[in-house]
């Protein structure tokens, strides 16, 4: 079971690379074509910034999963906090005028991240 956190972190790295590339490089950043939002220049700039940071995070998550396994709990915790804050924003603080595809998907991801984090933090049985 100790491999589950590593797999979850690697998958999050791939997800962050994928969605980051869409936000950074798609003509509308996915704002209109995926989320149904108006793709104004301000939104495009914010999406590109978000996307580039998601890609950077994804690269680091993949590196940790591949090479620096002792950091897996830290990176899972960072990802879970990031996802939880994004969900708090989208559902409670500053909700968008439409439900975007990332909302329900990220709720499911948060549960998976928290389970993987709990496994990663569990002490081995003696």
């Amino acid at each position: 079971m100790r491999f589950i956190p590593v797999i979850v972190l690697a998958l999050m790295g791939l997800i962050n690379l994928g969605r980051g590339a869409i936000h950074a490089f798609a003509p509308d950043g996915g704002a209109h074509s995926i989320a149904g939002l108006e793709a104004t220049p301000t939104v495009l700039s914010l999406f590109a910034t978000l996307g580039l940071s998601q890609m950077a995070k994804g690269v680091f998550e993949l590196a940790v999963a591949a090479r620096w396994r002792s950091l897996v709990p830290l990176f899972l915790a960072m990802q879970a906090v990031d996802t939880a804050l994004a969900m708090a924003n989208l559902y409670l603080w500053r909700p968008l005028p439409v439900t975007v595809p990332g909302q329900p998907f990220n709720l499911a991801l948060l549960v998976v991240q928290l389970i993987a984090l709990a496994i990663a933090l569990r002490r081995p049985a003696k």
Side-chain angles (χ1 to χ4, degrees):
M1 262 209 347
R2 300 296 288 173
F3 63 93
I4 291 173
V6 176
I7 291 171
V8 169
L9 185 64
L11 289 173
M12 285 310 309
L14 293 173
I15 289 168
N16 280 322
L17 280 175
R19 66 182 167 189
I22 291 168
H23 290 320
F25 303 118
D28 71 344
H32 182 71
S33 61
I34 296 173
L37 301 170
E38 186 178 345
T40 65
T42 302
V43 169
L44 291 177
S45 179
L46 291 172
F47 268 45
T49 300
L50 172 66
L52 293 170
S53 68
Q54 286 172 322
M55 291 173 63
K57 183 170 34 174
V59 167
F60 280 100
E61 288 171 336
L62 289 172
V64 166
R67 179 72 178 92
W68 296 289
R69 302 265 172 96
S70 64
L71 295 175
V72 166
L74 175 65
F75 274 72
L76 280 172
M78 179 192 68
Q79 181 63 64
V81 168
D82 185 44
T83 303
L85 290 173
M87 292 299 86
N89 181 57
L90 285 173
Y91 282 102
L92 304 172
W93 188 36
R94 292 191 176 170
L96 293 168
V98 297
T99 300
V100 297
Q103 283 180 249
F105 178 68
N106 278 307
L107 283 176
L109 280 180
L110 180 59
V111 171
V112 171
Q113 292 162 9
L114 290 172
I115 291 169
L117 179 59
I119 293 168
L121 293 174
R122 216 173 56 173
R123 301 211 185 266
K126 293 185 181 184

